[in-house]
mmCIF file of all heavy atoms in Angstrom:
data_model
loop_
_atom_site.group_PDB
_atom_site.id
_atom_site.type_symbol
_atom_site.label_atom_id
_atom_site.label_comp_id
_atom_site.label_asym_id
_atom_site.label_seq_id
_atom_site.Cartn_x
_atom_site.Cartn_y
_atom_site.Cartn_z
ATOM 1 N N LEU K 3 81.101 116.349 -35.910
ATOM 2 C CA LEU K 3 81.819 115.905 -37.010
ATOM 3 C C LEU K 3 81.699 114.358 -37.075
ATOM 4 O O LEU K 3 81.502 113.763 -38.343
ATOM 5 C CB LEU K 3 83.296 116.016 -36.715
ATOM 6 C CG LEU K 3 83.786 117.573 -36.789
ATOM 7 C CD1 LEU K 3 85.154 117.640 -36.382
ATOM 8 C CD2 LEU K 3 83.492 118.251 -38.061
ATOM 9 N N PHE K 4 81.458 113.585 -35.997
ATOM 10 C CA PHE K 4 81.170 112.179 -36.093
ATOM 11 C C PHE K 4 79.786 111.997 -36.780
ATOM 12 O O PHE K 4 79.659 111.094 -37.673
ATOM 13 C CB PHE K 4 81.223 111.550 -34.772
ATOM 14 C CG PHE K 4 80.968 110.147 -34.691
ATOM 15 C CD1 PHE K 4 82.031 109.255 -34.952
ATOM 16 C CD2 PHE K 4 79.663 109.532 -34.354
ATOM 17 C CE1 PHE K 4 81.766 107.813 -34.959
ATOM 18 C CE2 PHE K 4 79.534 108.198 -34.298
ATOM 19 C CZ PHE K 4 80.592 107.331 -34.588
ATOM 20 N N LEU K 5 78.779 112.812 -36.361
ATOM 21 C CA LEU K 5 77.450 112.697 -36.822
ATOM 22 C C LEU K 5 77.382 112.932 -38.292
ATOM 23 O O LEU K 5 76.658 112.305 -39.065
ATOM 24 C CB LEU K 5 76.514 113.640 -36.165
ATOM 25 C CG LEU K 5 75.032 113.621 -36.504
ATOM 26 C CD1 LEU K 5 74.308 112.284 -36.142
ATOM 27 C CD2 LEU K 5 74.373 114.840 -35.765
ATOM 28 N N LEU K 6 78.210 113.870 -38.739
ATOM 29 C CA LEU K 6 78.257 114.224 -40.128
ATOM 30 C C LEU K 6 79.124 113.264 -40.996
ATOM 31 O O LEU K 6 79.199 113.419 -42.206
ATOM 32 C CB LEU K 6 78.761 115.668 -40.237
ATOM 33 C CG LEU K 6 77.813 116.794 -39.882
ATOM 34 C CD1 LEU K 6 78.533 118.033 -39.638
ATOM 35 C CD2 LEU K 6 76.679 116.990 -40.775
ATOM 36 N N LYS K 7 79.827 112.500 -40.310
ATOM 37 C CA LYS K 7 80.790 111.487 -40.949
ATOM 38 C C LYS K 7 81.827 112.248 -41.688
ATOM 39 O O LYS K 7 82.356 111.895 -42.808
ATOM 40 C CB LYS K 7 80.024 110.492 -41.907
ATOM 41 C CG LYS K 7 79.038 109.592 -41.152
ATOM 42 C CD LYS K 7 78.298 108.676 -42.236
ATOM 43 C CE LYS K 7 77.390 107.747 -41.580
ATOM 44 N NZ LYS K 7 76.230 108.488 -40.935
ATOM 45 N N CYS K 8 82.366 113.322 -41.082
ATOM 46 C CA CYS K 8 83.470 114.062 -41.681
ATOM 47 C C CYS K 8 84.864 113.359 -41.465
ATOM 48 O O CYS K 8 85.030 112.816 -40.243
ATOM 49 C CB CYS K 8 83.500 115.454 -41.025
ATOM 50 S SG CYS K 8 82.121 116.536 -41.366
ATOM 51 N N ASP K 9 85.683 113.434 -42.369
ATOM 52 C CA ASP K 9 87.095 112.853 -42.250
ATOM 53 C C ASP K 9 88.154 113.976 -42.185
ATOM 54 O O ASP K 9 89.288 113.614 -42.149
ATOM 55 C CB ASP K 9 87.398 111.774 -43.265
ATOM 56 C CG ASP K 9 87.390 112.361 -44.688
ATOM 57 O OD1 ASP K 9 87.091 113.620 -44.869
ATOM 58 O OD2 ASP K 9 87.726 111.666 -45.653
ATOM 59 N N SER K 10 87.639 115.212 -42.281
ATOM 60 C CA SER K 10 88.632 116.282 -42.462
ATOM 61 C C SER K 10 87.948 117.552 -42.107
ATOM 62 O O SER K 10 86.802 117.776 -42.102
ATOM 63 C CB SER K 10 89.177 116.315 -43.913
ATOM 64 O OG SER K 10 88.088 116.312 -44.837
ATOM 65 N N VAL K 11 88.844 118.621 -41.853
ATOM 66 C CA VAL K 11 88.369 120.016 -41.690
ATOM 67 C C VAL K 11 89.257 120.915 -42.496
ATOM 68 O O VAL K 11 90.451 120.675 -42.651
ATOM 69 C CB VAL K 11 88.398 120.322 -40.195
ATOM 70 C CG1 VAL K 11 87.266 119.628 -39.441
ATOM 71 C CG2 VAL K 11 89.689 120.129 -39.607
ATOM 72 N N ILE K 12 88.606 121.944 -42.973
ATOM 73 C CA ILE K 12 89.349 123.075 -43.648
ATOM 74 C C ILE K 12 89.058 124.237 -42.672
ATOM 75 O O ILE K 12 87.978 124.723 -42.385
ATOM 76 C CB ILE K 12 88.642 123.347 -45.006
ATOM 77 C CG1 ILE K 12 88.836 122.097 -45.929
ATOM 78 C CG2 ILE K 12 89.290 124.581 -45.647
ATOM 79 C CD1 ILE K 12 88.127 122.148 -47.252
ATOM 80 N N VAL K 13 90.158 124.763 -42.199
ATOM 81 C CA VAL K 13 90.172 125.820 -41.063
ATOM 82 C C VAL K 13 90.584 127.168 -41.552
ATOM 83 O O VAL K 13 91.545 127.323 -42.331
ATOM 84 C CB VAL K 13 91.106 125.329 -39.981
ATOM 85 C CG1 VAL K 13 91.015 126.286 -38.815
ATOM 86 C CG2 VAL K 13 90.774 123.916 -39.509
ATOM 87 N N MET K 14 89.824 128.142 -41.197
ATOM 88 C CA MET K 14 90.128 129.630 -41.393
ATOM 89 C C MET K 14 89.789 130.372 -40.060
ATOM 90 O O MET K 14 88.967 129.823 -39.247
ATOM 91 C CB MET K 14 89.269 130.187 -42.516
ATOM 92 C CG MET K 14 89.513 129.557 -43.799
ATOM 93 S SD MET K 14 88.566 130.325 -45.239
ATOM 94 C CE MET K 14 87.017 129.663 -44.889
ATOM 95 N N GLY K 15 90.387 131.515 -39.820
ATOM 96 C CA GLY K 15 89.928 132.284 -38.723
ATOM 97 C C GLY K 15 91.104 132.932 -38.001
ATOM 98 O O GLY K 15 92.143 133.132 -38.588
ATOM 99 N N THR K 16 90.965 133.065 -36.719
ATOM 100 C CA THR K 16 91.908 133.718 -35.914
ATOM 101 C C THR K 16 91.918 133.337 -34.440
ATOM 102 O O THR K 16 90.959 132.592 -34.065
ATOM 103 C CB THR K 16 91.574 135.240 -35.911
ATOM 104 O OG1 THR K 16 92.670 136.106 -35.338
ATOM 105 C CG2 THR K 16 90.311 135.528 -35.169
ATOM 106 N N ALA K 17 93.019 133.532 -33.713
ATOM 107 C CA ALA K 17 94.257 133.999 -34.082
ATOM 108 C C ALA K 17 95.111 132.876 -34.540
ATOM 109 O O ALA K 17 95.033 131.863 -33.934
ATOM 110 C CB ALA K 17 94.965 134.797 -32.928
ATOM 111 N N THR K 18 95.834 133.071 -35.599
ATOM 112 C CA THR K 18 96.679 132.035 -36.114
ATOM 113 C C THR K 18 97.512 131.242 -35.092
ATOM 114 O O THR K 18 97.501 130.000 -35.027
ATOM 115 C CB THR K 18 97.603 132.592 -37.267
ATOM 116 O OG1 THR K 18 96.837 133.425 -38.159
ATOM 117 C CG2 THR K 18 98.246 131.461 -37.995
ATOM 118 N N SER K 19 98.136 132.017 -34.208
ATOM 119 C CA SER K 19 99.054 131.362 -33.293
ATOM 120 C C SER K 19 98.334 130.795 -31.999
ATOM 121 O O SER K 19 98.948 130.112 -31.293
ATOM 122 C CB SER K 19 100.052 132.400 -32.811
ATOM 123 O OG SER K 19 99.490 133.482 -32.083
ATOM 124 N N GLY K 20 96.927 131.207 -31.891
ATOM 125 C CA GLY K 20 96.237 130.752 -30.690
ATOM 126 C C GLY K 20 95.114 129.854 -30.982
ATOM 127 O O GLY K 20 95.449 128.529 -31.135
ATOM 128 N N CYS K 21 93.942 130.358 -31.238
ATOM 129 C CA CYS K 21 92.831 129.487 -31.388
ATOM 130 C C CYS K 21 92.868 128.609 -32.646
ATOM 131 O O CYS K 21 92.460 127.479 -32.625
ATOM 132 C CB CYS K 21 91.438 130.298 -31.328
ATOM 133 S SG CYS K 21 91.318 131.158 -29.712
ATOM 134 N N VAL K 22 93.396 129.161 -33.751
ATOM 135 C CA VAL K 22 93.501 128.410 -34.954
ATOM 136 C C VAL K 22 94.517 127.242 -34.800
ATOM 137 O O VAL K 22 94.246 126.106 -34.991
ATOM 138 C CB VAL K 22 93.941 129.324 -36.117
ATOM 139 C CG1 VAL K 22 94.317 128.435 -37.308
ATOM 140 C CG2 VAL K 22 92.774 130.228 -36.507
ATOM 141 N N ARG K 23 95.685 127.512 -34.207
ATOM 142 C CA ARG K 23 96.654 126.526 -33.979
ATOM 143 C C ARG K 23 96.176 125.503 -33.022
ATOM 144 O O ARG K 23 96.389 124.416 -33.330
ATOM 145 C CB ARG K 23 97.940 127.049 -33.547
ATOM 146 C CG ARG K 23 99.034 125.928 -33.365
ATOM 147 C CD ARG K 23 100.280 126.581 -32.877
ATOM 148 N NE ARG K 23 101.289 125.485 -32.575
ATOM 149 C CZ ARG K 23 102.553 125.328 -33.013
ATOM 150 N NH1 ARG K 23 102.961 126.199 -33.852
ATOM 151 N NH2 ARG K 23 103.174 124.319 -32.768
ATOM 152 N N ALA K 24 95.584 125.877 -31.920
ATOM 153 C CA ALA K 24 95.011 124.914 -30.954
ATOM 154 C C ALA K 24 93.994 123.960 -31.497
ATOM 155 O O ALA K 24 94.033 122.792 -31.267
ATOM 156 C CB ALA K 24 94.501 125.693 -29.719
ATOM 157 N N THR K 25 93.137 124.559 -32.357
ATOM 158 C CA THR K 25 92.113 123.809 -33.102
ATOM 159 C C THR K 25 92.718 122.829 -34.021
ATOM 160 O O THR K 25 92.351 121.663 -34.197
ATOM 161 C CB THR K 25 91.123 124.732 -33.841
ATOM 162 O OG1 THR K 25 90.531 125.563 -32.809
ATOM 163 C CG2 THR K 25 90.111 123.940 -34.517
ATOM 164 N N VAL K 26 93.701 123.305 -34.766
ATOM 165 C CA VAL K 26 94.422 122.476 -35.810
ATOM 166 C C VAL K 26 95.099 121.247 -35.112
ATOM 167 O O VAL K 26 94.967 120.079 -35.533
ATOM 168 C CB VAL K 26 95.381 123.340 -36.592
ATOM 169 C CG1 VAL K 26 96.385 122.345 -37.391
ATOM 170 C CG2 VAL K 26 94.642 124.152 -37.543
ATOM 171 N N VAL K 27 95.829 121.466 -34.082
ATOM 172 C CA VAL K 27 96.502 120.423 -33.278
ATOM 173 C C VAL K 27 95.448 119.417 -32.737
ATOM 174 O O VAL K 27 95.674 118.186 -32.879
ATOM 175 C CB VAL K 27 97.451 121.047 -32.187
ATOM 176 C CG1 VAL K 27 98.034 119.937 -31.272
ATOM 177 C CG2 VAL K 27 98.490 121.916 -32.751
ATOM 178 N N ASP K 28 94.356 119.899 -32.230
ATOM 179 C CA ASP K 28 93.433 118.966 -31.707
ATOM 180 C C ASP K 28 92.709 118.178 -32.783
ATOM 181 O O ASP K 28 92.519 116.900 -32.708
ATOM 182 C CB ASP K 28 92.300 119.654 -30.944
ATOM 183 C CG ASP K 28 92.814 119.943 -29.422
ATOM 184 O OD1 ASP K 28 93.930 119.460 -29.080
ATOM 185 O OD2 ASP K 28 92.006 120.511 -28.711
ATOM 186 N N ALA K 29 92.456 118.752 -33.930
ATOM 187 C CA ALA K 29 91.988 118.077 -35.089
ATOM 188 C C ALA K 29 92.878 117.020 -35.585
ATOM 189 O O ALA K 29 92.514 115.788 -35.866
ATOM 190 C CB ALA K 29 91.599 118.946 -36.204
ATOM 191 N N PHE K 30 94.087 117.355 -35.645
ATOM 192 C CA PHE K 30 95.168 116.371 -36.020
ATOM 193 C C PHE K 30 95.267 115.264 -35.087
ATOM 194 O O PHE K 30 95.439 114.082 -35.425
ATOM 195 C CB PHE K 30 96.628 117.140 -36.038
ATOM 196 C CG PHE K 30 97.806 116.314 -36.164
ATOM 197 C CD1 PHE K 30 98.301 115.811 -37.201
ATOM 198 C CD2 PHE K 30 98.328 115.841 -34.907
ATOM 199 C CE1 PHE K 30 99.447 114.967 -37.394
ATOM 200 C CE2 PHE K 30 99.566 115.101 -34.911
ATOM 201 C CZ PHE K 30 100.059 114.672 -36.069
ATOM 202 N N SER K 31 95.165 115.587 -33.759
ATOM 203 C CA SER K 31 95.138 114.597 -32.726
ATOM 204 C C SER K 31 93.990 113.571 -32.719
ATOM 205 O O SER K 31 94.089 112.512 -32.213
ATOM 206 C CB SER K 31 95.223 115.232 -31.335
ATOM 207 O OG SER K 31 96.314 116.133 -31.208
ATOM 208 N N HIS K 32 92.838 114.014 -33.367
ATOM 209 C CA HIS K 32 91.688 113.185 -33.617
ATOM 210 C C HIS K 32 91.796 112.469 -34.882
ATOM 211 O O HIS K 32 90.814 111.840 -35.373
ATOM 212 C CB HIS K 32 90.388 114.055 -33.539
ATOM 213 C CG HIS K 32 89.965 114.360 -32.117
ATOM 214 N ND1 HIS K 32 89.565 113.517 -31.252
ATOM 215 C CD2 HIS K 32 90.048 115.567 -31.571
ATOM 216 C CE1 HIS K 32 89.277 114.120 -30.131
ATOM 217 N NE2 HIS K 32 89.510 115.363 -30.219
ATOM 218 N N ASN K 33 92.916 112.464 -35.555
ATOM 219 C CA ASN K 33 93.188 111.820 -36.853
ATOM 220 C C ASN K 33 92.369 112.290 -37.888
ATOM 221 O O ASN K 33 92.041 111.552 -38.939
ATOM 222 C CB ASN K 33 93.050 110.234 -36.626
ATOM 223 C CG ASN K 33 94.282 109.685 -35.819
ATOM 224 O OD1 ASN K 33 95.345 110.131 -35.986
ATOM 225 N ND2 ASN K 33 93.815 108.669 -34.939
ATOM 226 N N LEU K 34 92.017 113.612 -37.968
ATOM 227 C CA LEU K 34 91.299 114.244 -39.022
ATOM 228 C C LEU K 34 92.452 114.736 -39.974
ATOM 229 O O LEU K 34 93.516 115.226 -39.527
ATOM 230 C CB LEU K 34 90.436 115.326 -38.493
ATOM 231 C CG LEU K 34 89.279 114.952 -37.738
ATOM 232 C CD1 LEU K 34 88.666 116.118 -36.992
ATOM 233 C CD2 LEU K 34 88.196 114.259 -38.680
ATOM 234 N N ARG K 35 92.181 114.764 -41.285
ATOM 235 C CA ARG K 35 92.980 115.473 -42.223
ATOM 236 C C ARG K 35 92.688 116.962 -42.052
ATOM 237 O O ARG K 35 91.517 117.363 -42.138
ATOM 238 C CB ARG K 35 92.802 115.075 -43.654
ATOM 239 C CG ARG K 35 93.427 113.584 -43.892
ATOM 240 C CD ARG K 35 93.207 113.204 -45.259
ATOM 241 N NE ARG K 35 93.748 111.827 -45.546
ATOM 242 C CZ ARG K 35 95.001 111.495 -45.787
ATOM 243 N NH1 ARG K 35 95.818 112.473 -46.007
ATOM 244 N NH2 ARG K 35 95.288 110.279 -46.053
ATOM 245 N N VAL K 36 93.722 117.797 -42.026
ATOM 246 C CA VAL K 36 93.465 119.194 -41.725
ATOM 247 C C VAL K 36 94.096 120.070 -42.805
ATOM 248 O O VAL K 36 95.278 119.906 -43.190
ATOM 249 C CB VAL K 36 94.127 119.636 -40.394
ATOM 250 C CG1 VAL K 36 93.739 121.108 -40.111
ATOM 251 C CG2 VAL K 36 93.705 118.749 -39.263
ATOM 252 N N THR K 37 93.369 120.999 -43.398
ATOM 253 C CA THR K 37 93.798 122.053 -44.238
ATOM 254 C C THR K 37 93.482 123.393 -43.700
ATOM 255 O O THR K 37 92.572 123.669 -43.145
ATOM 256 C CB THR K 37 93.053 121.951 -45.663
ATOM 257 O OG1 THR K 37 93.264 120.700 -46.228
ATOM 258 C CG2 THR K 37 93.570 123.019 -46.536
ATOM 259 N N VAL K 38 94.643 124.231 -43.680
ATOM 260 C CA VAL K 38 94.505 125.611 -43.293
ATOM 261 C C VAL K 38 94.623 126.469 -44.461
ATOM 262 O O VAL K 38 95.507 126.402 -45.240
ATOM 263 C CB VAL K 38 95.619 125.963 -42.213
ATOM 264 C CG1 VAL K 38 95.538 127.458 -41.807
ATOM 265 C CG2 VAL K 38 95.542 125.027 -40.975
ATOM 266 N N VAL K 39 93.625 127.431 -44.493
ATOM 267 C CA VAL K 39 93.561 128.403 -45.634
ATOM 268 C C VAL K 39 94.606 129.570 -45.335
ATOM 269 O O VAL K 39 94.216 130.330 -44.407
ATOM 270 C CB VAL K 39 92.229 128.885 -45.963
ATOM 271 C CG1 VAL K 39 92.221 129.865 -47.188
ATOM 272 C CG2 VAL K 39 91.288 127.631 -46.211
ATOM 273 N N GLU K 40 95.665 129.583 -45.966
ATOM 274 C CA GLU K 40 96.742 130.641 -45.566
ATOM 275 C C GLU K 40 96.183 132.094 -45.514
ATOM 276 O O GLU K 40 96.358 132.818 -44.563
ATOM 277 C CB GLU K 40 97.826 130.572 -46.509
ATOM 278 C CG GLU K 40 99.050 131.503 -46.275
ATOM 279 C CD GLU K 40 100.091 131.322 -47.252
ATOM 280 O OE1 GLU K 40 100.419 130.184 -47.534
ATOM 281 O OE2 GLU K 40 100.813 132.387 -47.457
ATOM 282 N N ASP K 41 95.540 132.495 -46.589
ATOM 283 C CA ASP K 41 94.903 133.820 -46.693
ATOM 284 C C ASP K 41 93.522 133.961 -46.076
ATOM 285 O O ASP K 41 93.004 135.046 -46.085
ATOM 286 C CB ASP K 41 94.953 134.387 -48.169
ATOM 287 C CG ASP K 41 94.344 133.431 -49.055
ATOM 288 O OD1 ASP K 41 94.361 132.218 -48.785
ATOM 289 O OD2 ASP K 41 93.797 133.900 -50.044
ATOM 290 N N GLY K 42 93.087 132.963 -45.331
ATOM 291 C CA GLY K 42 91.816 133.023 -44.683
ATOM 292 C C GLY K 42 92.072 133.001 -43.091
ATOM 293 O O GLY K 42 91.081 132.846 -42.342
ATOM 294 N N CYS K 43 93.407 133.181 -42.677
ATOM 295 C CA CYS K 43 93.707 133.288 -41.254
ATOM 296 C C CYS K 43 94.342 134.672 -40.999
ATOM 297 O O CYS K 43 94.934 135.256 -41.960
ATOM 298 C CB CYS K 43 94.687 132.052 -40.945
ATOM 299 S SG CYS K 43 93.977 130.535 -41.004
ATOM 300 N N PHE K 44 94.238 135.020 -39.789
ATOM 301 C CA PHE K 44 94.865 136.391 -39.493
ATOM 302 C C PHE K 44 95.277 136.406 -38.013
ATOM 303 O O PHE K 44 94.919 135.530 -37.234
ATOM 304 C CB PHE K 44 94.013 137.565 -39.896
ATOM 305 C CG PHE K 44 92.647 137.536 -39.236
ATOM 306 C CD1 PHE K 44 92.393 138.238 -38.116
ATOM 307 C CD2 PHE K 44 91.634 136.778 -39.899
ATOM 308 C CE1 PHE K 44 91.132 138.204 -37.534
ATOM 309 C CE2 PHE K 44 90.353 136.868 -39.371
ATOM 310 C CZ PHE K 44 90.037 137.517 -38.125
ATOM 311 N N GLU K 45 96.141 137.427 -37.740
ATOM 312 C CA GLU K 45 96.796 137.486 -36.399
ATOM 313 C C GLU K 45 97.154 138.879 -36.167
ATOM 314 O O GLU K 45 97.513 139.647 -37.065
ATOM 315 C CB GLU K 45 98.025 136.495 -36.386
ATOM 316 C CG GLU K 45 98.966 136.620 -35.381
ATOM 317 C CD GLU K 45 98.577 136.055 -34.081
ATOM 318 O OE1 GLU K 45 98.576 134.831 -33.888
ATOM 319 O OE2 GLU K 45 98.177 136.884 -33.133
ATOM 320 N N ARG K 46 97.269 139.251 -34.907
ATOM 321 C CA ARG K 46 97.755 140.663 -34.611
ATOM 322 C C ARG K 46 99.255 140.899 -34.862
ATOM 323 O O ARG K 46 99.640 141.854 -35.365
ATOM 324 C CB ARG K 46 97.586 140.922 -33.021
ATOM 325 C CG ARG K 46 96.088 141.024 -32.628
ATOM 326 C CD ARG K 46 96.031 141.027 -31.129
ATOM 327 N NE ARG K 46 96.527 139.759 -30.518
ATOM 328 C CZ ARG K 46 95.734 138.701 -30.406
ATOM 329 N NH1 ARG K 46 94.437 138.698 -31.012
ATOM 330 N NH2 ARG K 46 96.193 137.597 -29.874
ATOM 331 N N CYS K 47 100.018 139.878 -34.591
ATOM 332 C CA CYS K 47 101.501 139.915 -34.828
ATOM 333 C C CYS K 47 101.958 139.272 -36.051
ATOM 334 O O CYS K 47 101.608 138.030 -36.202
ATOM 335 C CB CYS K 47 102.262 139.320 -33.606
ATOM 336 S SG CYS K 47 101.941 140.306 -32.068
ATOM 337 N N GLN K 48 102.583 139.882 -36.963
ATOM 338 C CA GLN K 48 102.933 139.304 -38.285
ATOM 339 C C GLN K 48 103.861 138.132 -38.085
ATOM 340 O O GLN K 48 103.728 137.070 -38.883
ATOM 341 C CB GLN K 48 103.486 140.455 -39.200
ATOM 342 C CG GLN K 48 102.533 141.463 -39.557
ATOM 343 C CD GLN K 48 103.162 142.589 -40.307
ATOM 344 O OE1 GLN K 48 104.358 142.874 -40.111
ATOM 345 N NE2 GLN K 48 102.321 143.240 -41.083
ATOM 346 N N ALA K 49 104.822 138.216 -37.224
ATOM 347 C CA ALA K 49 105.815 137.111 -37.020
ATOM 348 C C ALA K 49 105.030 135.913 -36.509
ATOM 349 O O ALA K 49 105.402 134.717 -37.023
ATOM 350 C CB ALA K 49 106.908 137.551 -36.163
#
């Protein structure tokens, strides 16, 4: 991301509560702007 000079990430994938959330929190912690695509994420448990 540094090499590409990115200032932000647009995140999709799975699992919403696990790998997506952990990635989002770390991106936030690196002071990147983060967008999560609601209908581009999924999870085994609906709640």
Side-chain angles (χ1 to χ4, degrees):
L3 293 173
F4 184 81
L5 181 64
L6 290 162
K7 299 181 176 64
C8 294
D9 64 353
S10 52
V11 289
I12 297 171
V13 182
M14 296 184 285
T16 191
T18 311
S19 66
C21 296
V22 168
R23 181 178 176 128
T25 297
V26 165
V27 172
D28 276 358
F30 167 87
S31 299
H32 285 289
N33 291 321
L34 294 164
R35 290 183 181 268
V36 186
T37 300
V38 176
V39 182
E40 181 177 325
D41 46 336
C43 294
F44 56 95
E45 164 77 78
R46 291 170 296 278
C47 299
Q48 294 173 332

